[in-house]
Amino acid sequence: MYLERIFAILIIGLSLFRLYQWADSSLKEEMEAKIIHETQSLIPLSIQMIDQAIEQLNKEPGQMYPEVQEIFNDIFDPGKTGSIDQAYRIEVRNHYIRIQEHLKENLTFGYAAHSEECRGMRLYYTNFIKIYICPYFLEEDSVERKARNLIHE
C-alpha cells in the first residue's frame, strides 16, 4: 500500500512535469510568433527609411535637405575638400536599392533565445538565410532603432 502511494505520487509528479513542459513549450512558441510578427511589421518602416535615403542619394549635392547634406558631406567628403566622389554615392544608392529589394522578399525570421551571437544590446543577426531576433529586442523601446537595425541585417 505504501509503495502504491509512492508510485501514484511519482506518476502524478511526472504527469504534472510533462504538462508543465508542454505549457512552457506552447508559451515559448506563442512568444516567438509574436516577436517574429512584430519584426515583420517593421519591414514597411525600414523600406520607407530606405526610400528616403535613396531619394536623397538621387539628388545632386547641394539639393539635399540641409541636415541630410551635412551627414552626406561627412560620409562622402570627410576631408571637407569640396570634392564629392559621385561614383561612390551611386554605389551606396545602388546598395540601398538591393537592400530594399531584399526587404520586399519573403524574409525568414527566427528567435535566438540563447545564441552567442546575441551579445549586449544586439537586436538581430543573420546567417544570410534567416534573420535571428535576439532577446534584447524585447527590451528595446525605439521602433526606429529596430527598423534601422533590420536594414543593417
Side-chain angles (χ1 to χ4, degrees), residues 90-146:
I90 291 168
E91 183 181 332
V92 170
R93 184 204 60 204
N94 291 341
H95 183 68
Y96 274 116
I97 290 169
R98 284 191 300 277
I99 292 170
Q100 183 184 52
E101 290 167 354
H102 190 64
L103 282 170
K104 289 178 179 179
E105 295 173 2
N106 288 330
L107 298 176
T108 306
F109 294 95
Y111 183 65
H114 305 292
S115 173
E116 284 190 25
E117 296 289 329
C118 294
R119 290 185 284 271
M121 295 173 30
R122 189 169 191 178
L123 300 179
Y124 315 99
Y125 74 92
T126 183
N127 65 359
F128 303 105
I129 296 171
K130 185 183 264 190
I131 296 175
Y132 291 94
I133 306 159
C134 295
Y136 188 77
F137 179 90
L138 298 170
E139 297 177 40
E140 179 58 56
D141 293 328
S142 172
V143 173
E144 183 177 332
R145 178 170 182 247
K146 289 177 177 181

Side-chain angles (χ1 to χ4, degrees), residues 27-118:
L27 288 174
K28 284 180 186 175
E29 288 174 14
E30 185 178 321
M31 183 185 81
E32 288 177 18
K34 285 181 180 179
I35 292 168
I36 290 170
H37 178 74
E38 181 182 345
T39 304
Q40 290 169 327
S41 73
L42 294 169
I43 292 173
L45 177 59
S46 297
I47 290 171
Q48 180 184 15
M49 290 174 164
I50 291 174
D51 284 343
Q52 292 168 353
I54 292 169
E55 177 186 338
Q56 292 303 307
L57 288 167
N58 281 334
K59 295 180 180 180
E60 292 297 320
Q63 297 177 340
M64 298 177 180
Y65 297 129
E67 62 275 6
V68 174
Q69 184 71 54
E70 186 177 328
I71 295 168
F72 179 86
N73 289 345
D74 287 344
I75 295 169
F76 296 99
D77 185 20
K80 310 262 188 263
T81 64
S83 175
I84 303 293
D85 184 348
Q86 295 299 327
Y88 183 62
R89 176 182 64 87
I90 291 168
E91 183 181 332
V92 170
R93 184 204 60 204
N94 291 341
H95 183 68
Y96 274 116
I97 290 169
R98 284 191 300 277
I99 292 170
Q100 183 184 52
E101 290 167 354
H102 190 64
L103 282 170
K104 289 178 179 179
E105 295 173 2
N106 288 330
L107 298 176
T108 306
F109 294 95
Y111 183 65
H114 305 292
S115 173
E116 284 190 25
E117 296 289 329
C118 294

